Amino acid sequence: MEKTREFRYMPLDGFELRAEDAQEETFNVRGYASTFEEYELFSIDGTSYCERIDPAAFDECDMSDVVFRKDHQGTVYARTSNNALKVSVDKHGLLTDTDLSRTASARAMYEEISAGMYTQMSFAFVVEDNGDEIVRDKDNNKYIRIIKRIEKLYDVSPVSFPANPGTDIYARSRFDGVIEEERKEFAERAKALELAKAKARAIM
């Protein structure tokens, strides 16, 4: 069975896709396709459902042939297998360094990035079996999905409108069990409160 491919955009404004100043006909862009900061996927009834990529998640990831393309589809402008794309991991996240000089379409993509048409990035990946876990933070009323092992990195993409990862069906489905449990606990607390109120009224 094919594993579910997930897409995440770079959630911090501080790390944007940037075109380096063209010198001697170079067409390089650098940017973070992902960071290790925690981000909220969605919220239900005051409970937050968040996600964080562990810094070690890419340690054994297959990055043998990652492609650079726009909005995760269409033309391939660069790829790791021909050394036009370099992907590395640093303390902030997944850093990309891309040479967009090889083809006319790649150079046109550089011009679009340089003009500020694309300022954020995203990446497509699959998580290893049992490569993530969900932990509960009761103090802050949230659940956190920690992605610990990414099996395969497919592409890194400049994106025009980064999709909210909370709309990813698979991302939400990973929390189905805890959402059901949270609602059950809420119903039990509400029932206990009603019983307490009924007893208080009876005493009065």
PDB file of all heavy atoms in Angstrom, residues 3 12 15 30 47 60 64-65 72 143 152 187:
ATOM      1  N   LYS A   3       2.156   4.768   0.879  1.00  0.00           N
ATOM      2  CA  LYS A   3       2.019   5.585   2.078  1.00  0.00           C
ATOM      3  C   LYS A   3       1.499   6.961   1.714  1.00  0.00           C
ATOM      4  O   LYS A   3       1.698   7.457   0.607  1.00  0.00           O
ATOM      5  CB  LYS A   3       3.366   5.692   2.789  1.00  0.00           C
ATOM      6  CG  LYS A   3       3.855   4.359   3.342  1.00  0.00           C
ATOM      7  CD  LYS A   3       5.131   4.517   4.126  1.00  0.00           C
ATOM      8  CE  LYS A   3       5.561   3.183   4.699  1.00  0.00           C
ATOM      9  NZ  LYS A   3       6.824   3.302   5.470  1.00  0.00           N
ATOM     10  N   LEU A  12       7.234  29.984   9.564  1.00  0.00           N
ATOM     11  CA  LEU A  12       7.739  31.181  10.207  1.00  0.00           C
ATOM     12  C   LEU A  12       8.060  32.267   9.197  1.00  0.00           C
ATOM     13  O   LEU A  12       8.728  32.037   8.198  1.00  0.00           O
ATOM     14  CB  LEU A  12       9.017  30.870  11.011  1.00  0.00           C
ATOM     15  CG  LEU A  12       8.830  29.955  12.229  1.00  0.00           C
ATOM     16  CD1 LEU A  12      10.172  29.763  12.912  1.00  0.00           C
ATOM     17  CD2 LEU A  12       7.838  30.542  13.199  1.00  0.00           C
ATOM     18  N   PHE A  15      11.944  33.072   8.172  1.00  0.00           N
ATOM     19  CA  PHE A  15      12.751  32.300   7.239  1.00  0.00           C
ATOM     20  C   PHE A  15      11.994  32.181   5.925  1.00  0.00           C
ATOM     21  O   PHE A  15      11.113  31.351   5.775  1.00  0.00           O
ATOM     22  CB  PHE A  15      13.052  30.907   7.805  1.00  0.00           C
ATOM     23  CG  PHE A  15      13.834  30.936   9.085  1.00  0.00           C
ATOM     24  CD1 PHE A  15      13.263  30.524  10.265  1.00  0.00           C
ATOM     25  CD2 PHE A  15      15.138  31.391   9.098  1.00  0.00           C
ATOM     26  CE1 PHE A  15      13.974  30.542  11.448  1.00  0.00           C
ATOM     27  CE2 PHE A  15      15.857  31.421  10.273  1.00  0.00           C
ATOM     28  CZ  PHE A  15      15.281  30.990  11.462  1.00  0.00           C
ATOM     29  N   ARG A  30      17.875  30.455  -1.940  1.00  0.00           N
ATOM     30  CA  ARG A  30      18.021  29.708  -0.693  1.00  0.00           C
ATOM     31  C   ARG A  30      16.764  29.898   0.144  1.00  0.00           C
ATOM     32  O   ARG A  30      16.146  30.964   0.116  1.00  0.00           O
ATOM     33  CB  ARG A  30      19.228  30.194   0.109  1.00  0.00           C
ATOM     34  CG  ARG A  30      20.569  29.801  -0.473  1.00  0.00           C
ATOM     35  CD  ARG A  30      21.705  30.569   0.175  1.00  0.00           C
ATOM     36  NE  ARG A  30      21.768  30.360   1.610  1.00  0.00           N
ATOM     37  CZ  ARG A  30      22.401  29.347   2.209  1.00  0.00           C
ATOM     38  NH1 ARG A  30      23.010  28.432   1.468  1.00  0.00           N
ATOM     39  NH2 ARG A  30      22.432  29.239   3.516  1.00  0.00           N
ATOM     40  N   THR A  47      -9.310  23.263  22.368  1.00  0.00           N
ATOM     41  CA  THR A  47      -8.126  22.397  22.433  1.00  0.00           C
ATOM     42  C   THR A  47      -7.332  22.538  21.144  1.00  0.00           C
ATOM     43  O   THR A  47      -7.892  22.437  20.049  1.00  0.00           O
ATOM     44  CB  THR A  47      -8.527  20.926  22.636  1.00  0.00           C
ATOM     45  OG1 THR A  47      -9.236  20.797  23.870  1.00  0.00           O
ATOM     46  CG2 THR A  47      -7.290  20.033  22.678  1.00  0.00           C
ATOM     47  N   GLU A  60      17.812   9.658   8.738  1.00  0.00           N
ATOM     48  CA  GLU A  60      17.885   8.511   7.831  1.00  0.00           C
ATOM     49  C   GLU A  60      16.915   8.670   6.653  1.00  0.00           C
ATOM     50  O   GLU A  60      16.534   7.694   6.012  1.00  0.00           O
ATOM     51  CB  GLU A  60      17.583   7.222   8.597  1.00  0.00           C
ATOM     52  CG  GLU A  60      18.609   6.931   9.694  1.00  0.00           C
ATOM     53  CD  GLU A  60      18.315   5.645  10.445  1.00  0.00           C
ATOM     54  OE1 GLU A  60      17.419   4.892  10.017  1.00  0.00           O
ATOM     55  OE2 GLU A  60      18.981   5.399  11.464  1.00  0.00           O
ATOM     56  N   SER A  64      17.708  11.100  -1.906  1.00  0.00           N
ATOM     57  CA  SER A  64      18.567  10.784  -3.041  1.00  0.00           C
ATOM     58  C   SER A  64      18.145  11.483  -4.325  1.00  0.00           C
ATOM     59  O   SER A  64      18.987  11.756  -5.185  1.00  0.00           O
ATOM     60  CB  SER A  64      18.585   9.265  -3.267  1.00  0.00           C
ATOM     61  OG  SER A  64      17.267   8.786  -3.501  1.00  0.00           O
ATOM     62  N   ASP A  65      16.867  11.761  -4.480  1.00  0.00           N
ATOM     63  CA  ASP A  65      16.424  12.438  -5.705  1.00  0.00           C
ATOM     64  C   ASP A  65      15.231  13.332  -5.384  1.00  0.00           C
ATOM     65  O   ASP A  65      14.089  13.015  -5.697  1.00  0.00           O
ATOM     66  CB  ASP A  65      16.071  11.428  -6.800  1.00  0.00           C
ATOM     67  CG  ASP A  65      15.930  12.091  -8.163  1.00  0.00           C
ATOM     68  OD1 ASP A  65      16.367  13.252  -8.314  1.00  0.00           O
ATOM     69  OD2 ASP A  65      15.372  11.459  -9.079  1.00  0.00           O
ATOM     70  N   HIS A  72       4.387  22.181  -5.856  1.00  0.00           N
ATOM     71  CA  HIS A  72       4.392  20.708  -5.798  1.00  0.00           C
ATOM     72  C   HIS A  72       3.919  20.034  -7.084  1.00  0.00           C
ATOM     73  O   HIS A  72       3.500  18.876  -7.050  1.00  0.00           O
ATOM     74  CB  HIS A  72       3.530  20.205  -4.627  1.00  0.00           C
ATOM     75  CG  HIS A  72       4.019  20.636  -3.294  1.00  0.00           C
ATOM     76  ND1 HIS A  72       5.209  20.196  -2.741  1.00  0.00           N
ATOM     77  CD2 HIS A  72       3.485  21.493  -2.391  1.00  0.00           C
ATOM     78  CE1 HIS A  72       5.366  20.746  -1.556  1.00  0.00           C
ATOM     79  NE2 HIS A  72       4.350  21.558  -1.324  1.00  0.00           N
ATOM     80  N   TYR A 143      -2.602  18.946  22.173  1.00  0.00           N
ATOM     81  CA  TYR A 143      -1.946  17.708  21.778  1.00  0.00           C
ATOM     82  C   TYR A 143      -0.893  18.049  20.729  1.00  0.00           C
ATOM     83  O   TYR A 143      -1.115  18.934  19.894  1.00  0.00           O
ATOM     84  CB  TYR A 143      -2.943  16.710  21.193  1.00  0.00           C
ATOM     85  CG  TYR A 143      -3.913  16.139  22.195  1.00  0.00           C
ATOM     86  CD1 TYR A 143      -5.110  16.782  22.482  1.00  0.00           C
ATOM     87  CD2 TYR A 143      -3.632  14.940  22.857  1.00  0.00           C
ATOM     88  CE1 TYR A 143      -6.010  16.262  23.397  1.00  0.00           C
ATOM     89  CE2 TYR A 143      -4.533  14.405  23.779  1.00  0.00           C
ATOM     90  CZ  TYR A 143      -5.715  15.067  24.043  1.00  0.00           C
ATOM     91  OH  TYR A 143      -6.589  14.550  24.950  1.00  0.00           O
ATOM     92  N   LYS A 152      10.932   9.504   3.415  1.00  0.00           N
ATOM     93  CA  LYS A 152      11.261   9.945   2.062  1.00  0.00           C
ATOM     94  C   LYS A 152      10.887  11.406   1.878  1.00  0.00           C
ATOM     95  O   LYS A 152       9.796  11.829   2.262  1.00  0.00           O
ATOM     96  CB  LYS A 152      10.504   9.080   1.039  1.00  0.00           C
ATOM     97  CG  LYS A 152      10.594   9.542  -0.411  1.00  0.00           C
ATOM     98  CD  LYS A 152      11.977   9.358  -0.997  1.00  0.00           C
ATOM     99  CE  LYS A 152      12.004   9.741  -2.472  1.00  0.00           C
ATOM    100  NZ  LYS A 152      13.385   9.705  -3.023  1.00  0.00           N
ATOM    101  N   ALA A 187     -17.606  15.409  27.764  1.00  0.00           N
ATOM    102  CA  ALA A 187     -18.976  14.992  28.063  1.00  0.00           C
ATOM    103  C   ALA A 187     -19.095  14.482  29.495  1.00  0.00           C
ATOM    104  O   ALA A 187     -20.081  14.768  30.186  1.00  0.00           O
ATOM    105  CB  ALA A 187     -19.411  13.911  27.072  1.00  0.00           C
TER     106      ALA A 187
END
